[in-house]
């Protein structure tokens, strides 16, 4: 078994809604070029994604919806019918070749998972994956198909495995959660900004699954302006407790970078400190619970130049067994991307302070920890509660 491969092709940039749409695939090129400038890709296998088949897509998506996406990509879908499928909206406008571009992202995630579960690689990273809002018969939130849900369904069908899906995007991973809400072979864990302020408005701590899946849907809705320490405590605590409860065969992480303080679409206040540690913690969990088997995906992130390339490069560092990158970013990369609407970053760390002090910090931190306690307390032993009480900086009666 080889240690690691990443999946990427410039063809994935065909999944593009418009010149002005927030979901811009230039993020992929920015990340790969940064890793190239760091001389990180010389000896790492790069595998080009393939297109998902209609049969694979239909594991999660309705056949009439797949047909509608194909028609939309050729201009053959009427505006009224497009609206029925969540297409042609402000979030998910129509574009030429929509099915081809979207199915390529799905195929890449299927391959990333199959390479790990087949034993060819221990870890993979599909940078273009992580579109977590797509539903069975409807597009949503920039997502046409749900690559993660399709890949998980395909892997369960092929390998009869248990998968833990961990989502740290600022937006709730609703499409993945609802696809497996009543199943016991998938557990979803999503940490996100509370839906009181942000799309899609779901992901409450009370959404715990149903039928056989009860107890395997976990959500940590975080208060607006949550900062690094509060986020990381909630994330690490919930992740390891989820692993202990579920005992997965594979961990899949969605690494949206839109909880960063500079992101224009959200209200959380993370810095690169979190994006250094999130993947390191996930790999540590995989090493403990899945014999190292983990698949990382991209996701959201709308500050294309300053945030996403650094965040996803740190995922690459963790997946290749390295410490987080630090110091100055290669000047060659800075020069290549200078002259854009935003000046590229010069260092891996954010400047300090990145934003004004948040007056409500103690209240936010306490509230977030109460949310974590409310989520995990029914599933942990009394002894574990005592351990968490002793190590937590907050009161956990």
């Amino acid at each position: 078994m080889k240690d690691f491969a990443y999946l990427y092709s410039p063809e994935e940039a065909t999944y593009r809604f418009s010149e002005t749409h927030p979901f811009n695939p230039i993020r992929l090129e920015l990340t790969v070029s940064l890793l190239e400038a760091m001389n990180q890709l010389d000896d790492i296998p790069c595998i080009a994604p393939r297109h998902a088949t209609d049969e694979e897509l239909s594991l999660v998506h309705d056949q009439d919806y797949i047909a509608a996406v194909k028609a939309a990509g050729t201009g053959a879908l009427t505006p009224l019918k497009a609206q029925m499928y969540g297409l042609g909206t402000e979030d998910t406008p129509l574009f030429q070749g929509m099915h081809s571009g979207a199915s390529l992202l799905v195929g890449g995630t299927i391959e990333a998972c199959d390479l790990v579960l087949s034993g060819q690689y221990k870890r993979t990273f599909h940078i273009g994956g992580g579109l977590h809002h797509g539903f069975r018969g409807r597009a949503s939130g920039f997502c046409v198909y749900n690559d993660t849900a399709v890949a998980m369904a395909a892997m369960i069908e092929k390998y009869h495995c248990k998968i833990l899906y961990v989502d740290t995007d600022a937006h709730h991973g609703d499409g993945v959660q609802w696809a497996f809400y009543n199943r016991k072979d998938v557990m979803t864990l999503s940490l996100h900004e509370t839906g009181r302020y942000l799309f899609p408005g779901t992901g409450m701590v009370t959404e715990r699954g149903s039928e056989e899946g009860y107890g395997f849907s976990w959500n940590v809705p975080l208060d607006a302006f949550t900062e690094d320490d509060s986020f990381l405590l909630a994330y690490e605590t919930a992740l390891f407790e989820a692993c202990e409860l579920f005992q997965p065969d594979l961990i899949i992480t969605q690494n949206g970078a839109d909880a960063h303080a500079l992101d224009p679409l959200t209200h959380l206040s993370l810095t690169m400190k979190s994006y250094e540690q999130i993947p390191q913690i996930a790999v540590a969990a995989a090493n403990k619970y899945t014999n190292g088997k983990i698949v990382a995906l991209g996701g959201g992130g709308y500050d294309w130049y300053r945030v996403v390339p650094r965040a996803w490069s740190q995922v690459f560092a963790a997946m290749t067994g390295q410490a987080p990158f630090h110091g100055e970013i290669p000047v060659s990369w800075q020069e290549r991307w200078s002259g854009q609407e935003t000046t590229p970053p010069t260092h891996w760390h954010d400047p300090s302070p990145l934003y004004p002090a948040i007056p409500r910090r103690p209240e936010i931190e306490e509230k977030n920890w109460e949310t974590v306690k409310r989520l995990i307390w029914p599933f942990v032993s009394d002894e574990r509660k005592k351990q968490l009480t002793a190590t937590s900086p907050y009161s956990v009666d």
Side-chain angles (χ1 to χ4, degrees):
M1 178 189 294
K2 298 178 182 178
D3 282 340
F4 174 73
Y6 72 102
L7 290 91
Y8 168 72
S9 167
E11 189 182 351
E12 291 184 281
T14 59
Y15 188 88
R16 184 169 191 174
F17 296 105
S18 71
E19 294 291 329
T20 58
H21 195 280
F23 193 96
N24 191 331
I26 197 172
R27 306 172 311 156
L28 308 181
E29 184 182 358
L30 284 158
T31 302
V32 172
S33 65
L34 178 53
L35 291 167
E36 287 174 340
M38 292 284 291
N39 297 317
Q40 289 291 315
L41 304 182
D42 295 344
D43 300 316
I44 302 295
C46 177
I47 298 170
R50 63 168 176 84
H51 292 273
T53 67
D54 287 5
E55 182 180 5
E56 289 169 332
L57 292 170
S58 65
L59 292 171
V60 167
H61 296 290
D62 293 332
Q63 292 185 358
D64 62 343
Y65 175 64
I66 298 169
V69 173
K70 290 180 177 180
T74 63
L77 194 66
T78 65
L80 180 60
K81 195 166 186 179
Q83 292 283 329
M84 292 171 53
Y85 293 106
L87 300 169
T89 65
E90 183 178 357
D91 277 357
T92 315
L94 307 184
F95 63 93
Q96 189 71 25
M98 176 178 278
H99 170 77
S100 177
S103 66
L104 185 63
L105 300 184
V106 179
T109 299
I110 294 173
E111 285 295 291
C113 295
D114 196 49
L115 288 168
V116 172
L117 286 173
S118 66
Q120 296 180 63
Y121 292 92
K122 184 172 286 187
R123 301 178 295 274
T124 57
F125 181 19
H126 179 209
I127 306 172
L131 278 66
H132 57 173
H133 293 306
F135 289 93
R136 174 168 290 277
R138 176 169 56 87
S140 178
F142 312 161
C143 304
V144 175
Y145 295 136
N146 193 318
D147 62 288
T148 313
V150 173
M152 290 163 66
M155 294 304 102
I156 292 168
E157 183 178 83
K158 183 174 182 179
Y159 295 104
H160 308 286
C161 55
K162 294 169 64 180
I163 301 175
L164 172 63
Y165 170 75
V166 184
D167 190 320
T168 51
D169 195 287
H171 301 85
H172 175 225
D174 57 340
V176 181
Q177 172 182 293
W178 300 123
F180 300 99
Y181 200 63
N182 63 349
R183 294 177 59 160
K184 63 180 180 179
D185 45 13
V186 169
M187 183 172 186
T188 60
L189 168 61
S190 179
L191 290 90
H192 48 268
E193 182 182 334
T194 173
R196 292 196 304 273
Y197 311 113
L198 191 68
F199 173 90
T202 54
M204 294 180 288
V205 72
T206 52
E207 295 168 18
R208 295 184 179 272
S210 65
E211 302 173 15
E212 290 186 338
Y214 182 78
F216 298 133
S217 173
W218 281 19
N219 289 292
V220 184
L222 299 162
D223 217 26
F225 307 109
T226 290
E227 297 175 272
D228 292 316
D229 290 346
S230 181
F231 182 95
L232 290 169
L233 177 64
Y235 168 66
E236 185 167 14
T237 303
L239 173 58
F240 276 85
E241 295 304 331
C243 288
E244 191 66 29
L245 172 70
F246 190 63
Q247 297 292 317
D249 300 308
L250 174 69
I251 294 174
I252 298 177
T253 63
Q254 196 269 20
N255 294 272
D258 49 1
H260 193 278
L262 296 178
D263 194 274
L265 300 187
T266 66
H267 316 98
L268 298 177
S269 299
L270 303 192
T271 72
M272 288 307 301
K273 175 181 176 179
S274 288
Y275 291 106
E276 293 171 3
Q277 294 303 314
I278 286 169
Q280 297 283 341
I281 293 168
V283 169
N287 289 339
K288 182 174 181 179
Y289 290 99
T290 65
N291 196 29
K293 294 179 180 178
I294 184 170
V295 173
L297 307 173
Y302 308 102
D303 192 306
W304 312 322
Y305 296 97
R306 293 179 296 177
V307 175
V308 178
R310 291 186 296 161
W312 288 353
S313 292
Q314 297 292 12
V315 175
F316 186 95
M319 297 289 280
T320 51
Q322 301 179 72
F325 299 133
H326 65 278
E328 187 176 4
I329 286 177
V331 174
S332 60
W333 185 84
Q334 297 179 47
E335 292 177 345
R336 174 176 176 178
W337 296 104
S338 64
Q340 307 296 332
E341 62 266 27
T342 301
T343 302
T346 59
H347 290 77
W348 287 99
H349 294 108
D350 289 316
S352 182
L354 181 63
Y355 51 81
I358 296 173
R360 292 180 55 246
R361 175 185 291 176
E363 177 185 341
I364 291 168
E365 292 179 343
E366 182 71 24
K367 188 173 183 180
N368 287 340
W369 183 249
E370 287 297 315
T371 299
V372 172
K373 182 179 71 171
R374 184 180 178 192
L375 170 67
I376 70 172
W377 243 232
F379 302 99
V380 301
S381 66
D382 289 342
E383 182 61 31
R384 182 59 179 150
K385 291 175 185 176
K386 292 178 182 178
Q387 293 172 354
L388 291 170
T389 299
T391 56
S392 168
Y394 313 109
S395 170
V396 283
D397 297 327

